[in-house]
Amino acid sequence: MRSLALMSSVAMAAFVMVAGIDAASAQQISPDRLKILKEDAIKGVDKRSKLVQEMVDSIFSFGELAMQEVETSRYITGVLEKNGFTVTRGVSGMPTAWTAVWKNGEGGPVIAVGSDIDGIPKASQKPGVAWREPLIEGAPGHGEGHNSGQAVNIAAALAVKEIMIRDKIPGTLLLWPGVAEEPVAAKAFFVRDGMFKDADAVLFTHVASNLTTSWGQPNGTGGISVLYTFTGESAHSAGAPWRGRSALDGVELMDVGWNFRREHLRPEQRSHYVIKDGGDFPNVVPSKATVWYYFREQSFDRIRKNYEIGSKIAEAAAMMSDTTVSSRIIGTAAPQHMNKPMAEAAYENIKLIGLPEWTAEEQQFAKAVQKLVGGEETGLDTTLAPLSEPLPEPKSGGSDDIGDVSWTRPTITIRFPSNIPNLPGHNWSNAIAMATPIAHKGAVAGAKAMAMTMLDLMTRPDLLAAAKSYFTDVQTKDTKYQPVLTNEKPYIEMNTDIMDQYRPRMKSYYYNPAKYKTYLDQLGIKWPTLEKRP
């Protein structure tokens, strides 16, 4: 096992490549003029509300897993090319990764805009019905809501593009996808390979149940995603078991060792594993077995320490089982740190937009779904979440590889209200609202806040300067980005077997916007449907 105690020369070079920030000059305009442009951006998003609905519903219907977002990427890049963006496919060696660039004039800021696109295993679910009913039993689906963010970004970008052309505002829009976010398997590769090297700021979007943003280190963790593969020797399990060396024994011994070690780790750590390959038949001693671990913590050093402890336990398990073990890093997620000046500017726009006006039917449906999964029956949020200062000691929780981006360029995430509060997350219930009017209205609200913030960054040199100053003088003054990846290749074969199994059947459920007004119409679902009829 290789130690991460010192960054390799390759990783250090990657850091040096992305560490320097020389913000381009934004075109200064008066506050009164900017106010008018923002009003135009709101109108521009409103007139693209049909596009938002079609994109949200279409991507929902594809329901693709990490690294296999084939239909999703084909569809999104088609929309972008149709609207004048230059698309580069296969970025960082990932077939479903791409960049889409549109440039207006010479100079001006480069604003990178991204959102995730992958789904969740076994989360297939009919939208708009308040009970469990998969479209296809066992198939993947959008059980987090990653079908909505690209619609937010593209509607915002097209509204801003229109204004930039009309008012001759120089600048560049760089759109990109969060491929394979669930296994945190892409964004660190994008950083390593220089996707953001010319960006002055990064705006990211993520589905939520409120319209908000944040700055500093939020609640949550960073982490390392890694496969451990044990190799032994097969034998007849009954005839000559003493001649075999069980790779599965190695996996199970590692898991036992790690579970004992958990008691002696900080309570803030989060770690989990699944056995990807445990052998073939019980009567054959497994010669190969693979376990997939996530090691999560709240700082670079603590993440690295837990990863090294796990790797040491893996080596010990290999010795105990008389096997060998190798590892493969799938991806990383740095602890996030979001830019204060950018978040403050975005939140001013969020306050102007406010939450959607939810109908009585939408509230009734949300409460029915909350009741279904045992959540608090509060309905949809009606009060904006505040822009609060980061906690002195952030609570533990999930990870997102936007963290790697946040340590290399001034970055914020704008969260938009396309889903229902108080659901489990990473669950089929989180898919229920994601192709309904709730998702559509929330995405439109998010697109408006995004478009207004993009205009701020394009026309306010003071904001870009403040964002750069916070990044260099506060965020990275004492803590620097610690990249983990060196020469690793992305895990592009991930989930091929699952999608090969389900995609042929899933195709019959793809949304056809030329024939049906909404995906609910295509499925014959009356909105809202609260009770299942016999």
Side-chain angles (χ1 to χ4, degrees), residues 100-218:
V101 177
W102 178 80
K103 183 177 181 180
N104 194 50
E106 295 299 323
V110 177
I111 309 302
V113 182
S115 197
D116 299 325
I117 61 174
D118 56 327
I120 300 288
K122 297 181 176 65
S124 177
Q125 171 64 35
K126 280 188 177 180
V129 299
W131 61 84
R132 174 61 163 145
E133 187 171 344
L135 288 165
I136 299 172
E137 185 67 46
H142 277 288
E144 177 161 347
H146 286 173
N147 60 299
S148 54
Q150 288 291 331
V152 170
N153 293 355
I154 291 174
L158 296 182
V160 169
K161 174 176 177 277
E162 191 173 63
I163 293 169
M164 291 173 67
I165 293 172
R166 184 194 68 195
D167 285 43
K168 297 182 173 58
I169 299 172
T172 300
L173 302 177
L174 165 65
L175 274 65
W176 56 278
V179 167
E181 186 276 333
E182 298 303 342
V184 293
K187 296 188 189 76
F189 287 91
F190 295 163
V191 170
R192 182 194 70 181
D193 298 340
M195 179 184 286
F196 308 102
K197 63 183 176 62
D198 297 322
D200 295 294
V202 179
L203 295 175
F204 192 69
T205 55
H206 199 282
V207 64
S209 58
N210 208 296
L211 182 60
T212 188
T213 188
S214 60
W215 63 273
Q217 182 173 349

Side-chain angles (χ1 to χ4, degrees), residues 356-366 380 437-438 441 527-528:
E357 293 185 7
W358 307 114
T359 66
E361 291 80 9
E362 289 161 353
Q363 288 285 15
Q364 187 180 18
F365 182 79
L380 299 166
I438 294 172
K441 290 165 74 170
W527 170 256

Side-chain angles (χ1 to χ4, degrees), residues 367-401:
K367 291 178 181 178
V369 176
Q370 290 167 339
K371 181 179 180 180
L372 173 71
V373 296
E376 188 178 357
E377 296 173 41
T378 58
L380 299 166
D381 288 353
T382 57
T383 302
L384 279 176
L387 177 67
S388 56
E389 294 188 4
L391 297 173
E393 296 182 2
K395 296 178 181 178
S396 191
S399 312
D400 191 316
D401 48 1

Side-chain angles (χ1 to χ4, degrees), residues 23-29 109 456-467:
S25 297
Q27 176 177 299
Q28 178 74 58
I29 64 174
D456 279 325
L457 292 166
M458 285 290 180
T459 62
R460 289 181 52 194
D462 63 313
L463 176 57
L464 279 180

